Amino acid sequence: MTLTPADLARLLRDAQEGPHYSVRAALALADGQPPPRIAALIAGLTARKRALWAEIAAATRTPPPPDDAGLTRLAAWEAGAAAALTPEHLRQRVGGRPTEELLLEHVREVLWTAGQIAAHANRVRLA
């Protein structure tokens, strides 16, 4: 299956900001200050986004992610960066794997992390 940059941008945006089954929706389940496990999931996802996009930027010679962005701003930047990629960029190998494959795997990771956040948020509410 071959996806366009716009397709990947939409998948990334929906995984982060969609109304259901997204990081934003999962975070909405946790009231107030996030508990340490949720904070760790957010920090880990932010770090992985930054590292992945730094590698993609180096391989494709596109702009790297902003150093000072938190998860929300970084996710918005990421969707724009994915949309700006070309089909050639998606075929470019990063660590031996095509960029397209890495981005699809990253979408899965974002959704998995959203599920973990939701699970921990529900535990907090039930406690």
Side-chain angles (χ1 to χ4, degrees):
M1 173 164 86
T2 301
L3 296 172
T4 67
D7 293 334
L8 287 165
R10 188 185 79 251
L11 288 172
L12 287 164
R13 191 173 28 260
D14 288 350
Q16 184 68 32
E17 296 293 327
H20 307 287
Y21 311 109
S22 68
V23 172
R24 182 180 63 99
L27 287 172
L29 298 173
D31 292 329
Q33 182 71 22
R37 288 185 181 182
I38 292 176
L41 287 164
I42 293 167
L45 182 59
T46 303
R48 287 187 299 279
K49 281 182 180 296
R50 189 170 276 115
L52 172 67
W53 280 98
E55 290 178 359
I56 290 171
T60 60
R61 295 189 175 133
T62 55
D67 289 333
D68 61 343
L71 180 60
T72 301
R73 197 168 125 226
L74 185 58
W77 175 90
E78 172 182 61
L85 294 174
T86 65
E88 292 77 29
H89 288 141
L90 295 181
R91 289 189 293 272
Q92 180 73 40
R93 293 196 170 271
V94 177
R97 296 173 63 199
T99 299
E100 177 186 23
E101 185 179 307
L102 291 174
L103 290 175
L104 278 172
E105 185 176 276
H106 182 59
V107 168
R108 288 186 208 97
E109 177 186 13
V110 172
L111 291 171
W112 179 88
T113 303
Q116 292 297 303
I117 291 169
H120 287 292
N122 283 335
R123 283 189 199 133
V124 170
R125 281 195 166 170
L126 297 174

